[in-house]
Amino acid sequence: MNNLAISLPGLELKNPIMPASGCFAFGREYSEFYDLSKLGAIIMKAATGTERFGNPTPRVAETASGMLNAIGLQNPGVEKIIEKEVPFLAQYDTSIIANVAGSTLEEYEKVAAAFNQTDQVQALELNISCPNVKEGGIQFGTDPFMAAKVTETVKKASKLPVYVKLSPNVTNITDMAKAVESAGADGLSMINTLTGMQIHLPSRKPLIANKTGGLSGPAIKPVAIRMIYEVKQHVSIPIIGMGGVSNAEDVLEFLLAGASAVAVGTANFNNPFVCPEIIDSLPETLNRYGFDSVKDAIGKGIM
Amino acid sequence: MNNLAISLPGLELKNPIMPASGCFAFGREYSEFYDLSKLGAIIMKAATGTERFGNPTPRVAETASGMLNAIGLQNPGVEKIIEKEVPFLAQYDTSIIANVAGSTLEEYEKVAAAFNQTDQVQALELNISCPNVKEGGIQFGTDPFMAAKVTETVKKASKLPVYVKLSPNVTNITDMAKAVESAGADGLSMINTLTGMQIHLPSRKPLIANKTGGLSGPAIKPVAIRMIYEVKQHVSIPIIGMGGVSNAEDVLEFLLAGASAVAVGTANFNNPFVCPEIIDSLPETLNRYGFDSVKDAIGKGIM
Amino acid sequence: MMKKENVVIKSVEQIALDTVEMVVKNPYISQKAIPGQFLHVSVEGHTLRRPISIADINRENKTITILFKMVGSGTAKLAALNPGMSFDVLGPSGNGFQTEGNESSTILLIGGGIGVPPLYYLGKELAKQNKEIISVLGYQTRANVFSEEMFRRLGKTFIVTNDGSYGEKGFVTDVIQKAGYFDYYYSCGPLPMLKAVTAKLADKPGMISLEERMGCGVGACMACVIPTDSEGGYKKICSDGPVFHTQEVSL
Amino acid sequence: MMKKENVVIKSVEQIALDTVEMVVKNPYISQKAIPGQFLHVSVEGHTLRRPISIADINRENKTITILFKMVGSGTAKLAALNPGMSFDVLGPSGNGFQTEGNESSTILLIGGGIGVPPLYYLGKELAKQNKEIISVLGYQTRANVFSEEMFRRLGKTFIVTNDGSYGEKGFVTDVIQKAGYFDYYYSCGPLPMLKAVTAKLADKPGMISLEERMGCGVGACMACVIPTDSEGGYKKICSDGPVFHTQEVSL
Ligand SMILES: Cc1cc2nc3c(=O)[nH]c(=O)nc-3n(C[C@H](O)[C@H](O)[C@H](O)COP(=O)(O)OP(=O)(O)OC[C@H]3O[C@@H](n4cnc5c(N)ncnc54)[C@H](O)[C@@H]3O)c2cc1C
Ligand SMILES: Cc1cc2nc3c(=O)[nH]c(=O)nc-3n(C[C@H](O)[C@H](O)[C@H](O)COP(=O)(O)OP(=O)(O)OC[C@H]3O[C@@H](n4cnc5c(N)ncnc54)[C@H](O)[C@@H]3O)c2cc1C
Ligand SMILES: Cc1cc2nc3c(=O)[nH]c(=O)nc-3n(C[C@H](O)[C@H](O)[C@H](O)COP(=O)(O)O)c2cc1C
Ligand SMILES: Cc1cc2nc3c(=O)[nH]c(=O)nc-3n(C[C@H](O)[C@H](O)[C@H](O)COP(=O)(O)O)c2cc1C
Ligand code: FES
Ligand code: FES
């Protein structure tokens, strides 16, 4: 058996590595660098009920070992994604995870239901944590009651397993995780970005036009590892880990903390080949630290 | 007039720069590098009711553009601090701020009251946010009701102005700030560290013996700037800003976000001279970006 | 097609105030690049790559010239590298200036500051097509002026400085009327300049090169969008641009 | 007194598996350092400094020798620097091995792995005081062995490797009895080794050098404490140590 393989609800992954939502669009650009069939899965950019243009620019800024972004869920809308993007990705031998976003319960429901039309998507990632949507997205992500509610709604609307993507901008991440687990979540995805801001001194204005943006990259890895470890002690659904991963050692750290698969976001921007490179070096890295397989390493941090 | 000077409750600072609590002990070590009279103020290491040894080692770990620490409030206890450390610092022409910590309301009260014995301390920094105290410290820092309660208690016990040090590990930092302002806080100090974890791959154990530690350094600066900016819109008490400051540009960014003075923590470890160097370059930096004085720049970010 | 390539530094030289000319060698990019394309440069210790335009190509020597201004930590670090060292780029990136099919006989190049460099490679290519070339190049002040001689060799060239310390005084738009007849223009420079230029030359066909802060530089992150009137409602500067027909985008 | 000093690299050489010897020049530190003190080294791109022991001093040439093992990103980056480059250190840091007033005639040096280097500078100083020196040096395997000849020049020297691929097989504690008579010992190496050594030599006076992860390196952050039985209840390895009398600290 392939020692990188891992089975999760709805997902038979040949390896645990997948690009994170929003950092890979719908795969077309990176498909020019390498064969997307290498990937364990692909998490698509957020889909909303209708087309969105997103926030004004500048939308990104660099920070120490990280970056801020406030893209604002720019996407062509769920119908176009199903029509044009999913079939493109379905050419490849990899799993497709759809990132579902919205401003209202109804929008979430609509988007989730829309993905029932296609057989080419294997799971949903429920984005209740995007800090860049003003209408209410943020409330879903920081209030356990609202998070449970949207999870239930989406579970009812969809035939697919649902991974709820948690926001780190909360006092108690375990409460959030437990709430969505009780509401029927099949898995968790964590973490999304920490809300941050950077002020451009010459203009005295925030560098990001939206004022605040989401902090990602190696800077936030310690927060991600802590939250995944904490949550893992209290839930029994699997976790897709992310936050600052840029090499195979980072992946192993996430596995030890309790993640069952790992998404790579920001690191794609500096190195378009980061995902296949991690996949290629993972077996040796597992080995070096005494593990036979990915499965073997999950949650094996000694606390 | 000195264009770096700034008046805050209880504090007439000749410049807005001070070492952050816990990163400068009681000044003795850094006094061998430079004259502490250069500093606007000094925030002492946390004082508790009685001597504490703190957490097991390792207590620090490096992260991308940051570090984790779990010192665990090691200190000789408030009485010895008043007897031995405060008089040492009082030799210098700088303001002294005492960082007050505890595990119970009673301990906070006792420590705060103890500082009434001396005339050499100008203000208290109420540390309700140290993530490394297990007995309950964390609750004070993440619950607005508890935060207000400990603020009131300390205000009653002390004759000194009280700056409440907020934890960033909360869903809503503004609620915390408003709660302590209503409870009588004279100022805020923010941010303390973000809770994080790092796993040492060869041993599979957390690098920090305490498992989790507080993340500090440039990595967290965007979170600090965001929180200070947010809070500044909703409170009228002054803010001592901190989190990843390592040069005069960073200081100006904190001032623009709404801080009235700025503390420097982690950066002392790499450069023991960082505080005097910042103080020396601040006038030119203010000038370059069109400000005549520190006062002139406070809250001048354009949003 | 854009690739991830290693380039080796051949020379680094300061040519004006805070402005550095760097020549790097890479067989692939030097054969493929067209004017207006850029390199997306990885700088050690930095999360994001830095986009820098291709200022010239020498196909024979397999070299690429870039000119950049030291404005922050990334460009400062790049400038501190020495010949023999190498770094990693994505390139050639983006869509450059289209010159084929352009029937115009006289071309006006309008460059502002660090927007001047890509116009030089473009001018050289246009000269090969026997176009007449007129250049209007704007700089802040005398100390910032660079590449003047190279443009003079391509054709009539006007230098403008904001403070009049060199050449004409004012903005490039103040000098355009002196340039005489032209039937097409290409422009690159700061956004306020491009706005003024496109407004002033609203009746002329032209292409402009735009800047925006970038995440991926390959079209995947949606950081660098600009509104358009076309179907999708937006274009990505990194992959649809950085060069656009003036009617394509709304500045 | 410790200062923040710039040191200039004179040479960098790999002397064993993953082990680098670096000679740096600095007038102040080379005059002040005593055996057992360390340099707190700033490595570009890293938040925290790296503590590295002083392995030798040449007062005349004003040079300091350090030996370090590449175990992570900081030491790897340090090893990649070239002669002529410089970096910033705090030093000489900490309290070193006390040799004055030591009336002992025969000294045993017990080093393990990357704990061996500081004992060399110590041994040289002790040799000047006409002590007889016996060394027991432990390494993991043959490829890790370094500095053997230098210690042999100081006196009788036993090499031990864990796997027996070179010298004796086993741990340093297996060889101590073969060393013969000595009346004082100095030891530096990994914590498990120091525990075994101090347990085995409980009746002998000695000094040991300890390691702990450091924040400030100057005594201000309380990162590097070790419990003691003395009044304060703890000592700081960076400023009270790294060298302690064996009775001073509880391992
Ligand atoms: C298509 C394109 C071509 C360019 N060509 C050139 C060129 O030929 N010569 C030249 O000097 N400059 C050019 N620029 C601008 C150049 O990219 C920035 O000056 C550079 O990225 C600044 O990096 P820094 O680290 O020095 O500055 P910092 O301000 O420290 O950079 C911080 C972040 O902001 C981004 N950033 C800062 N200024 C700009 C800007 N004007 N445009 C886009 N991103 C920015 C950086 O890439 C980085 O991510 C070009 C920009 C674009 C978009
Ligand atoms: C007083 C003292 C003297 C030392 N002398 C030497 C010497 O002469 N030669 C030598 O090779 N090593 C020595 N060490 C160990 C050396 O400091 C570490 O190997 C080095 O810091 C590792 O850095 P890194 O970036 O390569 O490893 P990483 O693991 O990437 O470092 C991450 C962080 O952990 C710290 N760290 C990692 N290992 C250690 C360790 N063993 N002790 C303390 N901090 C550590 C680093 O300083 C850094 O802050 C000494 C340690 C101390 C405390
Ligand atoms: C430019 C950018 C866009 C993103 N867009 C989305 C998104 O549409 N949906 C989502 O759930 N997360 C989005 N994220 C968050 C990432 O999926 C990921 O959770 C986060 O960036 C942490 O991982 P990283 O540090 O590896 O980037 C985005 C992140 C970035 C940097
Ligand atoms: C080693 C260390 C010890 C600290 N001890 C304390 C403390 O005793 N009391 C406190 O309020 N904050 C303490 N802090 C937090 C700092 O005062 C500061 O709020 C935080 O580190 C962010 O600033 P920085 O990024 O500049 O370090 C400590 C931080 C560090 C790194
Ligand atoms: S920079 Fe990512 S889409 Fe243009
Ligand atoms: S490292 Fe800070 S006290 Fe020793």
Side-chain angles (χ1 to χ4, degrees):
Chain A
M1 211 205 75
N2 171 353
N3 70 348
L4 298 186
I6 175 86
S7 294
L8 300 177
L11 300 167
E12 293 298 329
L13 307 179
K14 58 173 164 287
N15 67 62
I17 306 302
M18 56 189 86
S21 182
C23 302
F24 211 74
F26 302 98
R28 289 183 195 274
E29 294 78 14
Y30 289 99
S31 76
E32 300 198 3
F33 288 101
Y34 60 89
D35 180 359
L36 303 185
S37 298
K38 263 229 116 155
L39 299 168
I42 291 171
I43 313 181
M44 295 190 291
K45 172 78 190 159
T48 51
T50 51
E51 180 174 357
R52 291 218 198 176
F53 178 71
N55 293 321
T57 56
R59 293 177 169 187
V60 293
E62 189 177 80
T63 69
S65 296
M67 64 175 283
L68 293 170
N69 90 80
I71 307 297
L73 298 181
Q74 172 157 8
N75 82 96
V78 64
E79 294 300 338
K80 271 209 198 119
I81 290 173
I82 293 170
E83 183 192 327
K84 295 197 175 154
E85 307 298 347
V86 171
F88 170 78
L89 284 175
Q91 296 174 279
Y92 296 96
D93 175 24
T94 187
S95 297
I96 304 176
I97 303 174
N99 184 276
V100 171
S103 307
T104 59
L105 270 183
E106 293 66 38
E107 188 177 3
Y108 276 111
E109 188 174 14
K110 175 184 164 183
V111 176
F115 281 111
N116 289 334
Q117 293 166 47
T118 167
D119 289 332
Q120 297 174 323
V121 168
Q122 278 79 46
L124 301 185
E125 180 180 55
L126 178 55
N127 178 3
I128 57 168
S129 50
C130 178
N132 303 324
V133 183
K134 295 230 187 69
E135 300 98 309
I138 192 70
Q139 291 159 1
F140 292 112
T142 54
D143 179 62
F145 178 79
M146 290 295 283
K149 195 144 176 172
V150 64
T151 304
E152 262 172 44
T153 306
V154 163
K155 274 299 289 179
K156 243 180 247 158
S158 175
K159 60 180 189 188
L160 295 171
V162 175
Y163 293 76
V164 181
K165 184 159 182 179
L166 300 183
S167 165
N169 301 296
V170 296
T171 306
N172 192 325
I173 191 77
T174 304
D175 283 355
M176 294 297 299
K178 286 197 312 221
V180 303
E181 182 181 41
S182 307
D186 300 280
L188 299 170
S189 175
M190 56 193 288
I191 60 175
N192 210 319
T193 52
L194 281 162
T195 308
M197 185 188 237
Q198 195 177 37
I199 301 178
H200 184 237
L201 300 184
S203 68
R204 307 180 187 180
K205 287 193 214 161
L207 242 165
I208 300 266
N210 186 51
K211 294 188 191 179
T212 62
L215 183 63
S216 63
I220 70 168
K221 194 180 64 147
V223 176
I225 293 288
R226 184 262 296 183
M227 290 190 163
I228 289 168
Y229 167 70
E230 252 179 53
V231 163
K232 182 69 181 175
Q233 313 308 305
H234 295 96
V235 303
S236 52
I237 50 179
I239 299 170
I240 301 174
M242 67 200 72
V245 173
S246 53
N247 57 45
E249 275 79 14
D250 294 340
V251 169
L252 179 53
E253 192 181 354
F254 275 80
L255 296 176
L256 293 177
S260 297
V262 174
V264 182
T266 304
N268 290 288
F269 302 161
N270 195 270
N271 180 7
F273 294 99
V274 65
C275 289
E277 282 174 13
I278 287 176
I279 293 164
D280 287 339
S281 59
L282 196 51
E284 197 275 318
T285 303
L286 286 167
N287 237 276
R288 183 150 26 98
Y289 293 102
F291 297 100
D292 288 337
S293 68
V294 164
K295 255 156 113 175
D296 195 22
I298 297 167
K300 290 293 163 53
I302 300 165
M303 303 293 166
Chain B
M1 211 204 73
N2 172 353
N3 70 347
L4 298 186
I6 174 87
S7 296
L8 300 177
L11 300 167
E12 293 298 328
L13 307 179
K14 60 172 165 285
N15 68 61
I17 306 303
M18 56 190 87
S21 182
C23 300
F24 210 74
F26 302 98
R28 290 183 194 273
E29 295 76 15
Y30 290 99
S31 75
E32 301 199 2
F33 288 102
Y34 61 90
D35 179 0
L36 303 184
S37 298
K38 262 228 112 164
L39 299 168
I42 290 172
I43 312 181
M44 294 190 293
K45 173 75 188 162
T48 51
T50 51
E51 179 174 358
R52 292 216 197 177
F53 179 71
N55 292 320
T57 57
R59 293 176 168 188
V60 293
E62 188 176 81
T63 69
S65 296
M67 64 175 284
L68 293 170
N69 90 81
I71 307 296
L73 297 183
Q74 172 158 7
N75 81 96
V78 65
E79 294 300 340
K80 272 212 196 114
I81 291 173
I82 292 171
E83 180 192 328
K84 295 198 175 156
E85 307 299 347
V86 171
F88 170 77
L89 284 175
Q91 298 174 277
Y92 297 95
D93 175 23
T94 187
S95 296
I96 305 176
I97 303 174
N99 185 276
V100 171
S103 306
T104 58
L105 270 184
E106 292 67 37
E107 188 176 3
Y108 276 112
E109 189 174 12
K110 174 184 164 183
V111 176
F115 281 110
N116 290 333
Q117 292 167 48
T118 167
D119 289 331
Q120 297 174 324
V121 168
Q122 279 77 47
L124 301 184
E125 180 179 57
L126 177 54
N127 179 2
I128 57 168
S129 49
C130 178
N132 303 324
V133 183
K134 295 232 186 67
E135 299 100 308
I138 192 71
Q139 291 158 4
F140 292 112
T142 55
D143 179 63
F145 177 78
M146 290 294 283
K149 195 145 176 170
V150 64
T151 305
E152 263 172 43
T153 305
V154 164
K155 274 300 288 178
K156 243 179 249 160
S158 175
K159 60 179 189 189
L160 295 171
V162 175
Y163 294 77
V164 181
K165 185 156 181 181
L166 301 182
S167 165
N169 301 296
V170 296
T171 306
N172 192 325
I173 190 76
T174 304
D175 283 354
M176 294 297 299
K178 288 200 305 221
V180 303
E181 182 182 40
S182 307
D186 300 280
L188 299 170
S189 174
M190 55 193 290
I191 60 176
N192 210 317
T193 53
L194 280 162
T195 308
M197 185 186 232
Q198 193 176 39
I199 300 178
H200 184 236
L201 301 183
S203 68
R204 304 179 189 181
K205 287 193 213 160
L207 243 166
I208 300 265
N210 185 51
K211 294 187 191 179
T212 61
L215 183 62
S216 63
I220 69 168
K221 193 180 64 146
V223 176
I225 294 289
R226 185 264 295 182
M227 290 190 163
I228 290 168
Y229 166 69
E230 253 179 52
V231 163
K232 182 69 181 172
Q233 314 308 306
H234 296 96
V235 302
S236 51
I237 49 178
I239 300 170
I240 301 174
M242 68 200 71
V245 172
S246 53
N247 56 44
E249 275 80 14
D250 294 340
V251 170
L252 180 53
E253 192 180 355
F254 275 80
L255 295 176
L256 293 177
S260 297
V262 174
V264 182
T266 303
N268 290 289
F269 302 161
N270 195 270
N271 179 7
F273 294 99
V274 66
C275 288
E277 282 175 13
I278 288 176
I279 293 165
D280 286 340
S281 58
L282 196 50
E284 197 275 317
T285 303
L286 286 167
N287 236 278
R288 183 149 27 98
Y289 293 102
F291 297 100
D292 287 335
S293 68
V294 164
K295 253 155 116 179
D296 194 24
I298 298 167
K300 291 293 163 53
I302 301 166
M303 303 293 165
Chain C
M1 207 192 80
M2 174 192 4
K3 287 195 178 178
K4 181 163 173 285
E5 288 283 315
N6 204 52
V7 303
V8 181
I9 302 176
K10 291 286 147 194
S11 68
V12 191
E13 203 188 331
Q14 181 153 349
I15 55 163
L17 182 67
D18 291 339
T19 310
V20 171
E21 177 180 287
M22 185 183 269
V23 179
V24 300
K25 186 161 180 169
N26 178 278
Y28 179 78
I29 296 170
S30 60
Q31 303 316 304
K32 295 285 176 180
I34 66 158
Q37 288 188 302
F38 66 94
L39 301 181
H40 208 30
V41 176
S42 178
V43 184
E44 208 202 321
H46 289 272
T47 315
L48 297 177
R49 290 172 178 265
R50 268 57 178 166
I52 305 285
S53 297
I54 293 170
D56 200 7
I57 289 284
N58 185 322
R59 292 230 151 91
E60 232 169 90
N61 298 346
K62 305 190 171 57
T63 59
I64 304 114
T65 302
I66 55 177
L67 261 72
F68 58 90
K69 202 162 168 182
M70 291 180 274
V71 295
S73 58
T75 46
K77 191 141 196 179
L78 201 59
L81 297 179
N82 293 316
M85 294 175 142
S86 64
F87 55 89
D88 163 324
V89 305
L90 304 181
S93 294
N95 285 309
F97 292 104
Q98 283 162 29
T99 56
E100 312 90 62
N102 187 335
E103 304 283 296
S104 321
S105 66
T106 307
I107 305 280
L108 181 65
L109 304 178
I110 311 163
I114 204 64
V116 168
L119 297 180
Y120 177 66
Y121 182 29
L122 171 67
K124 264 190 19 182
E125 294 293 305
L126 291 167
K128 278 190 206 154
Q129 296 167 27
N130 293 314
K131 311 278 186 195
E132 194 186 328
I133 295 164
I134 309 169
S135 305
V136 174
L137 310 177
Y139 303 89
Q140 270 184 297
T141 184
R142 184 186 200 105
N144 298 115
V145 177
F146 58 85
S147 297
E148 178 184 357
E149 268 320 300
M150 297 161 63
F151 278 88
R152 291 212 184 279
R153 265 178 262 132
L154 296 176
K156 197 158 48 159
T157 297
F158 299 84
I159 306 287
V160 201
T161 53
N162 298 356
D163 61 1
S165 55
Y166 191 77
E168 317 261 333
K169 181 184 161 96
F171 297 101
V172 290
T173 39
D174 300 329
V175 182
I176 290 177
Q177 54 263 49
K178 301 195 188 164
Y181 175 81
F182 61 93
D183 41 20
Y184 201 90
Y185 74 92
Y186 294 97
S187 185
C188 183
L191 190 61
M193 182 194 98
L194 294 176
K195 281 188 180 166
V197 166
T198 51
K200 183 152 192 143
L201 303 179
D203 53 340
K204 293 270 187 180
M207 296 191 91
I208 53 173
S209 178
L210 298 177
E211 277 191 15
E212 186 49 83
R213 292 189 179 242
M214 293 185 180
C216 65
V218 305
C221 75
M222 310 288 149
C224 66
V225 295
I226 179 156
T228 63
D229 304 326
S230 71
E231 196 219 346
Y234 68 92
K235 295 262 183 188
K236 291 178 279 192
I237 289 178
C238 69
S239 54
D240 298 321
V243 175
F244 296 96
H245 288 284
T246 52
Q247 328 88 286
E248 239 179 323
V249 287
S250 345
L251 295 187
Chain D
M1 207 191 82
M2 175 193 3
K3 287 195 177 178
K4 181 163 174 284
E5 288 283 314
N6 204 52
V7 303
V8 181
I9 302 177
K10 290 286 145 194
S11 68
V12 191
E13 204 189 329
Q14 179 152 351
I15 55 164
L17 183 65
D18 292 338
T19 309
V20 170
E21 177 181 287
M22 184 183 271
V23 179
V24 300
K25 185 161 181 168
N26 179 278
Y28 179 77
I29 295 170
S30 60
Q31 303 317 304
K32 296 283 176 182
I34 66 159
Q37 289 188 302
F38 65 95
L39 302 181
H40 208 31
V41 177
S42 178
V43 184
E44 208 202 321
H46 289 272
T47 315
L48 297 177
R49 289 172 178 265
R50 269 55 179 168
I52 305 286
S53 297
I54 293 170
D56 200 7
I57 289 284
N58 184 323
R59 292 228 152 91
E60 232 169 276
N61 298 344
K62 305 190 171 58
T63 59
I64 303 114
T65 303
I66 56 177
L67 260 73
F68 58 90
K69 201 162 168 183
M70 291 179 275
V71 296
S73 58
T75 45
K77 193 142 194 177
L78 201 59
L81 298 180
N82 292 318
M85 293 175 144
S86 64
F87 54 90
D88 162 325
V89 306
L90 303 182
S93 293
N95 285 310
F97 292 104
Q98 284 161 28
T99 57
E100 313 91 61
N102 188 334
E103 305 283 294
S104 321
S105 66
T106 307
I107 306 279
L108 182 63
L109 304 178
I110 311 163
I114 204 63
V116 168
L119 297 180
Y120 177 66
Y121 181 27
L122 172 67
K124 263 190 17 181
E125 294 293 307
L126 290 168
K128 280 190 206 154
Q129 297 167 25
N130 294 314
K131 312 277 185 194
E132 193 185 328
I133 295 164
I134 309 170
S135 306
V136 174
L137 310 177
Y139 303 88
Q140 269 184 300
T141 183
R142 183 185 202 107
N144 298 113
V145 177
F146 58 85
S147 299
E148 178 184 357
E149 268 320 302
M150 296 160 64
F151 279 88
R152 289 211 186 281
R153 266 177 263 131
L154 297 175
K156 196 158 50 160
T157 298
F158 299 85
I159 306 287
V160 201
T161 53
N162 298 357
D163 61 1
S165 55
Y166 191 77
E168 316 262 334
K169 181 183 161 95
F171 297 102
V172 289
T173 39
D174 300 330
V175 183
I176 289 177
Q177 54 263 50
K178 300 195 190 163
Y181 175 81
F182 62 94
D183 39 21
Y184 201 90
Y185 74 92
Y186 295 97
S187 185
C188 182
L191 190 61
M193 182 194 99
L194 293 177
K195 282 187 181 166
V197 166
T198 50
K200 184 153 192 140
L201 302 180
D203 53 342
K204 292 271 187 181
M207 296 191 91
I208 53 174
S209 177
L210 298 177
E211 278 191 16
E212 187 49 83
R213 293 188 179 243
M214 294 186 178
C216 64
V218 304
C221 75
M222 310 287 150
C224 66
V225 296
I226 179 154
T228 63
D229 303 326
S230 71
E231 196 220 345
Y234 68 90
K235 295 261 181 187
K236 292 177 279 191
I237 289 178
C238 68
S239 53
D240 298 320
V243 174
F244 296 96
H245 287 287
T246 52
Q247 327 88 284
E248 239 179 324
V249 288
S250 345
L251 294 188

